[in-house]
Amino acid sequence: MTIRVGVIGAGVMGRDHALRLTRRTAGAQVVAVADTDAERAAAVAAEVGAQVFASAAELIDAVDAVVVASWGATHEEYVLAAIAAGRPVFCEKPLAPTREACDRILDAEVAAGRRLVTVGFMRRDDPQYLAMKEVVVGGAIGAPLLMHAAHRNASVPDWFTSEMIVTDTAVHDIDVARWMFDEEIVAVTVLSGRVSRKAQPGFRDPQLLILEMASGILVDVEASVNAGFGYDIRGEVVGEDGTVELSESAGAVVKRAGAAHTRIPGEWIERFTTAFDAEFRAWIDVIASSADSGDHLTVGPTAWDGYAATACCEAGLAALRSGTRERVELRPKPELYCTAPLTEGTPR
Ligand SMILES: NC(=O)c1ccc[n+]([C@@H]2O[C@H](COP(=O)([O-])OP(=O)(O)OC[C@H]3O[C@@H](n4cnc5c(N)ncnc54)[C@H](O)[C@@H]3O)[C@@H](O)[C@H]2O)c1
């Protein structure tokens, strides 16, 4: 069975996902592309042999599954339309930029009675993060106490703002913390001090986030976006009996002439290609195996995870403004998100 996929938003991520689905994902075919920029839509459609749709509603009608990779503020409209049409929908992060918009998506999915939404927090499919979580869950380092994380971008465009360091950069670390410890974040503090000389005037880079987990585990996240030397992702969990950290490099380490060398990825697409591929394989597999069963058509991060991440980002933005600790208040978790899906892809 081939799952016919429609991609809404044909920019950097939309194109990358369209190519991945077409070239590297068994059982999937991108048959439709839509973008408010008609030239982009046409270019990506030509690359993957798909049809261009001017209307997203018509695209959703014409396909088995939908990828939403347009700008964040436009996600809600397309995700709601996909839910209304009963289509599984993979939505790039954020699910939506405000808690109210995420609420409307949760309400729609709960009313549909079936999980249809997957959110693109791809680190959950990264082999290094999976290996780290296996150690934490397996108990080898004892009860987790702390996590140190760093998210360093080589550079960002001029339009990137201090707030986006929370909502676009640290949001991945927020999701990792919730996933790693399988519990919610209850409070966020965001500190910014000495500013990098490479930052635009008024731009608060780097930032240090402190995430307080429900059980008392503390997570510190360095989020900086002018690192210059590459895209550097780090993580270490400290337990009562030991520590576990992400390996330095997924590639080879060369030692010669008194020095060790390993490649640092230039940007996120390179660092997380394996994770992106795995998340789409899992998504297509679950759709193919559950389409006629009436079971959930999601795998991995759910709309609840998207909602919780946005709620934490809102608290983070308040903390960035206030300079103080802000509590994260979540609505009660609907029953729909308390049960595991019938089919799981990679271990999560
Ligand atoms: N998972 C990750 O690591 C990761 C990395 C980068 C971006 N993203 C997310 O992916 C999404 C897209 O980011 P990008 O970097 O590809 O941006 P982009 O600007 O390169 O592409 C976005 C595309 O959406 C189109 N678009 C805008 N409004 C639209 C609308 N109403 N309907 C249809 N198309 C519309 C634009 O014309 C553009 O082609 C964002 O939500 C972003 O946060 C995720």
Side-chain angles (χ1 to χ4, degrees):
M1 174 184 187
T2 298
I3 305 298
R4 296 167 306 137
V5 181
V7 176
I8 301 174
V12 174
M13 292 312 290
R15 174 175 179 271
D16 201 53
H17 292 334
L19 294 177
R20 143 175 315 107
L21 281 161
T22 304
R23 296 177 183 168
R24 301 200 291 278
T25 312
Q29 190 184 352
V30 175
V31 296
V33 178
D35 193 301
T36 42
D37 180 331
E39 273 181 34
R40 280 192 179 188
V44 172
E47 276 189 281
V48 298
Q51 188 186 339
V52 175
F53 280 72
S55 144
E58 285 173 19
L59 174 146
I60 291 169
D61 253 4
V63 298
D64 302 317
V66 180
V67 171
V68 176
S70 49
W71 294 326
T74 69
H75 291 180
E76 179 191 1
E77 174 190 350
Y78 299 134
V79 171
L80 288 176
I83 293 171
R87 301 290 188 274
V89 52
F90 177 98
C91 180
E92 256 309 338
K93 64 86 188 157
L95 175 60
T98 67
R99 179 198 300 251
E100 290 72 22
C102 292
D103 266 332
R104 289 188 284 273
I105 292 171
L106 291 182
D107 291 342
E109 206 175 27
V110 167
R114 188 183 195 195
R115 295 207 306 245
L116 293 163
V117 179
T118 299
V119 182
F121 287 123
M122 75 295 178
R123 289 191 190 184
R124 298 181 182 212
D125 285 295
D126 177 67
Q128 294 183 48
Y129 275 106
L130 284 166
M132 193 175 175
K133 179 161 177 170
E134 202 176 308
V135 171
V136 172
V137 173
I141 62 165
L145 304 171
L146 300 166
M147 180 170 180
H148 307 296
H151 185 146
R152 302 181 184 127
N153 282 79
S155 63
V156 284
D158 290 349
W159 43 261
F160 209 85
T161 63
S162 301
E163 288 72 21
M164 289 172 79
I165 293 184
V166 174
T167 59
D168 284 61
T169 304
V171 65
H172 285 290
D173 301 278
I174 284 170
D175 181 66
V176 162
R178 295 184 59 256
W179 167 76
M180 183 65 68
F181 303 117
D182 198 17
E183 58 185 86
E184 298 296 351
I185 294 167
V186 296
V188 182
T189 305
V190 182
L191 303 172
S192 72
R194 183 172 182 176
V195 170
S196 165
R197 68 174 162 75
K198 291 183 264 178
Q200 304 284 333
F203 187 46
R204 296 165 72 179
D205 171 46
Q207 295 174 20
L208 188 61
L209 285 78
I210 312 290
L211 312 175
E212 295 173 47
M213 310 303 299
S215 67
I217 298 170
L218 297 178
V219 179
D220 63 80
V221 182
E222 170 205 320
S224 62
V225 296
N226 283 291
F229 62 85
Y231 181 73
D232 190 29
I233 299 299
R234 313 186 73 82
E236 179 184 30
V237 176
V238 179
E240 285 176 343
D241 302 321
T243 69
V244 55
E245 61 192 290
L246 296 176
S247 53
E248 184 63 33
S249 162
V253 180
V254 178
K255 294 180 182 172
R256 66 180 291 275
H261 297 273
T262 185
R263 183 174 160 69
I264 299 169
E267 33 75 1
W268 70 92
I269 288 185
E270 178 184 348
R271 168 65 181 82
F272 286 113
T273 290
T274 312
F276 286 127
D277 287 355
E279 71 175 349
F280 275 93
R281 263 199 314 278
W283 184 59
I284 291 297
D285 284 354
V286 84
I287 295 168
S289 60
S290 309
D292 300 324
S293 69
D295 195 23
H296 305 308
L297 292 177
T298 57
V299 65
T302 62
W304 175 261
D305 295 313
Y307 159 82
T310 292
C312 290
C313 286
E314 283 191 353
L317 292 178
L320 182 65
R321 284 191 295 272
S322 68
T324 58
R325 173 181 185 271
E326 300 284 345
R327 286 197 66 79
V328 179
E329 307 286 354
L330 300 179
R331 68 188 260 180
K333 190 173 184 175
E335 187 60 32
L336 186 70
Y337 304 104
C338 297
T339 54
L342 188 71
T343 316
E344 282 281 0
T346 47
R348 289 172 167 79

